[in-house]
Amino acid sequence: MTRRQDVAAIALFIGLAVFLPDSASAQIAIRGETVYTMAGPPLKDGVIIIAGGKIQAVGPAAQTPIPEKMKTLQAKVVTPGLIDAHTVVGLTGYMNQDQDQDELDINDPVQPELRAIDSYNPQERLVEWIRGFGITTIHTGHAPGALISGQTLITKTTGNTVEESLLRPVAMVAVTLGDDARAKGKDAEKKPPGTRSKAIAMLRENLVKTRDYLRKQDLPDVSKRPDRDLKLDILARVLRGELPLLVTVHRATDIDSALRVADEFKIKMVLDGAAESYLVIDQIKAAGVPVIIHASMHRAGMGETENISFETAAKLRHAGIPVALQSGFESYVPKTRVALYEAAIAASNGLTFEEALGTITLEAAKILGIADRVGSLEVGKDGDVALYDGDPFEYTSHCIGVIINGRVVSETPR
C-alpha cells in the first residue's frame, strides 16, 4: 500500500469510528469484480464501504482501501438493492387462502381510505422469498380490481414490524380503469361501475366532491365546515398534489381517458400495467406521466392484455418516458413474479443491460420519489446492495448476498 493509500485508509477508518462509536459490527465492505453503481460507468474491481446503515465510500479498489479487519463480502457482480416498483406482496400471502389475502376488498368500488399499512405483513414468506433474489425495496399495497381500491406504501423487505422497514406509509392511491374496474362478486350486474364511462364518471364525481370538501374546509364560519370524511381526506391529498394516482389501465382508449382526468384536475398520475401504452406514446410523453409497465412475462390473454409486448419498456424509454418494471400480481401460487427476471426479459427485447437494470433500481426510485435514499450506490444513500455470482439476468446465476441498511439479511444462494 502506498503512503497516500495508507493515509486514506486511516482517514476512512477514523471517519467510520466517528460515525459509529459503539457498533463495529455495523461496518461492512463489499468488493465486486464489476460494480454497477447506476450513478456512473460500472466499476471494475470496485469497493463499497458501509457504516451506520449508509454508504460511506464507493470506488475502484485501488483508490478505496478497506480498513483492516472489516468484514468483507465478495461477488462477481454487485448492484444496488433492487426495487419492485409495484407489487401486492405483504398484503397477499403465499398460501393463497382467505386468511392471507388482504390485497382487494370488492364490497365498495371506492375505498381510498383503506390503508396498506394496516394490512402489510413484513413477516410474510413472500417478502423473504423475493428478498433472496436481491429485492430490497417494494412499492406494495391494494391490488387492481376496484375503481379505487386503497392506498399503497413503500417499504424495505426486512424488519419484524411495518414501522421498522417503512419508507413511506402512504405512497399512492390505487385506481383501476377498463374492464377490471367493473363491479365483481354477487349481483355484480346490479352494482356500479358497469361500463367504462360509468367508471370515469364515478372517479370524476369523487374528485369534484373532494374539491368542494376542500373549499368548505376553509370557510370562515367553522360551523359550516364539513365533518371529517376519511375517503375525501385521502383524495384531498391527491388534489393538493401530495399523492399521485396509480392508475392500472391497459387499453389505449382507457389510457387516454386516464390522461384526460389527470389534465382536468391537474393531479399527479402514474400509469400502471399499460399494455397498449406503446400505441399512445406521444400522448403519455406530452402529459409527462411515468409508466410502471406490467410484468414482462404477464400472460397475454384474450382480454385487455391481448396486445402486450416484450418491447414496450424499450419503446417507452427510448421515447423519453420514465419507465420502471414490476412483479405485478398473480392470482395463483406463488402469487408474485420476481422483478429481476422481468427486467431480464426487457434486456433481451430492446433495452441494454444497464437500461434494464435501471428499471428496477434508479429509474424505479425516481418514479417512486425515493431516489434520495435508494436506487444507486452513492455516498450517503442507504446501504442496500445485492451480490451475484454472475450476470444477474442469467437464469443460471445466483443472488449470493443481500444487504439492507448495512445489515446482511441473506447469504443463501438463490
Side-chain angles (χ1 to χ4, degrees):
M1 182 179 287
T2 67
R3 179 176 177 80
R4 175 180 288 183
Q5 289 173 330
D6 192 48
V7 171
I10 293 172
L12 178 61
F13 185 78
I14 291 173
L16 295 177
V18 171
F19 191 84
L20 271 178
D22 60 358
S23 182
S25 62
Q27 302 175 15
I28 190 169
I30 302 100
R31 186 167 184 172
E33 291 184 16
T34 303
V35 177
Y36 291 93
T37 68
M38 304 310 294
L43 300 175
K44 296 298 181 182
D45 192 14
V47 167
I48 306 155
I49 306 291
I50 301 174
K54 299 289 184 179
I55 297 173
Q56 300 298 306
V58 183
Q63 301 171 22
T64 314
I66 299 174
E68 188 177 355
K69 296 183 180 180
M70 177 176 282
K71 179 176 180 178
T72 302
L73 301 180
Q74 299 191 35
K76 285 187 176 295
V77 176
V78 177
T79 74
L82 306 183
I83 300 169
D84 188 337
H86 187 207
T87 182
V88 293
V89 166
L91 278 77
T92 187
Y94 85 106
M95 294 186 71
N96 200 31
Q97 297 179 0
D98 290 345
Q99 73 270 15
D100 68 353
Q101 304 300 297
D102 286 317
E103 70 279 1
L104 184 64
D105 187 324
I106 61 172
N107 292 303
D108 185 337
V110 179
Q111 299 186 89
E113 73 277 19
L114 299 187
R115 306 192 308 176
I117 195 172
D118 294 326
S119 290
Y120 179 73
N121 177 12
Q123 298 185 52
E124 165 57 46
R125 289 182 63 181
L126 282 181
V127 175
E128 183 277 332
W129 187 66
I130 63 171
R131 182 178 66 216
F133 293 97
I135 310 293
T136 58
T137 301
I138 55 175
H139 173 218
T140 189
H142 290 89
L147 181 58
I148 306 179
S149 60
Q151 303 166 27
T152 65
L153 59 77
I154 302 173
T155 182
K156 300 289 186 73
T157 54
T158 188
N160 292 317
T161 66
V162 65
E163 286 79 12
E164 290 178 27
S165 55
L166 203 60
L167 283 177
R168 288 196 176 176
V170 185
M172 302 186 192
V173 178
V175 170
T176 306
L177 296 178
D179 187 59
D180 285 344
R182 298 178 196 269
K184 300 171 183 63
K186 185 178 179 181
D187 299 324
E189 70 278 0
K190 300 178 183 179
K191 301 176 183 178
T195 66
R196 283 172 163 78
S197 295
K198 182 64 174 180
I200 293 294
M202 290 175 66
L203 178 59
R204 294 179 65 249
E205 179 184 20
N206 278 276
L207 291 173
V208 168
K209 187 184 298 184
T210 303
R211 193 161 56 190
D212 190 50
Y213 177 72
L214 280 172
R215 181 184 60 80
K216 290 180 178 178
Q217 284 183 332
D218 294 328
L219 290 174
D221 187 344
V222 176
S223 66
K224 294 183 178 180
R225 294 178 183 176
D227 293 334
R228 186 177 181 188
D229 186 310
L230 292 182
K231 291 179 184 287
L232 300 183
D233 277 349
I234 193 69
L235 291 179
R237 296 187 62 186
V238 173
L239 287 184
R240 287 196 297 260
E242 298 171 8
L243 298 172
L245 290 183
L246 177 70
V247 182
T248 300
V249 58
H250 290 293
R251 293 289 193 195
T253 53
D254 294 324
I255 293 173
D256 274 340
S257 296
L259 296 180
R260 281 195 294 273
V261 171
D263 181 62
E264 178 183 355
F265 292 93
K266 308 304 177 188
I267 57 178
K268 296 178 182 178
M269 182 174 288
V270 176
L271 294 178
D272 173 70
E276 295 183 2
S277 54
Y278 59 88
L279 297 176
V280 285
I281 284 178
D282 291 343
Q283 293 90 324
I284 295 172
K285 186 173 182 179
V289 172
V291 183
I292 302 176
I293 299 174
H294 53 76
S296 300
M297 293 182 282
H298 183 100
R299 291 186 176 185
M302 293 298 292
E304 295 189 318
T305 59
E306 63 182 348
N307 295 319
I308 206 166
S309 170
F310 285 157
E311 299 176 352
T312 301
K315 289 180 178 179
L316 268 60
R317 191 189 188 286
H318 296 161
I321 296 171
V323 171
L325 280 169
Q326 60 175 299
S327 63
F329 168 67
E330 301 291 356
S331 59
Y332 49 86
V333 174
K335 306 310 295 288
T336 184
R337 298 181 182 275
V338 178
L340 172 64
Y341 298 134
E342 303 307 316
I345 295 297
S348 299
N349 290 274
L351 291 182
T352 67
F353 177 92
E354 289 184 62
E355 286 173 343
L357 185 58
T359 65
I360 53 172
T361 55
L362 186 57
E363 297 308 310
K366 289 177 179 178
I367 290 174
L368 297 178
I370 53 174
D372 60 325
R373 294 279 304 271
V374 298
S376 61
L377 300 174
E378 298 180 78
V379 172
K381 287 196 174 184
D382 293 359
D384 296 357
V385 187
L387 293 78
Y388 300 91
D389 61 7
D391 182 340
F393 290 161
E394 286 290 341
Y395 192 77
T396 54
S397 297
H398 302 88
C399 182
I400 58 173
V402 182
I403 299 168
I404 299 179
N405 297 329
R407 185 171 66 88
V408 178
V409 295
S410 175
E411 287 186 276
T412 302
R414 176 171 291 171

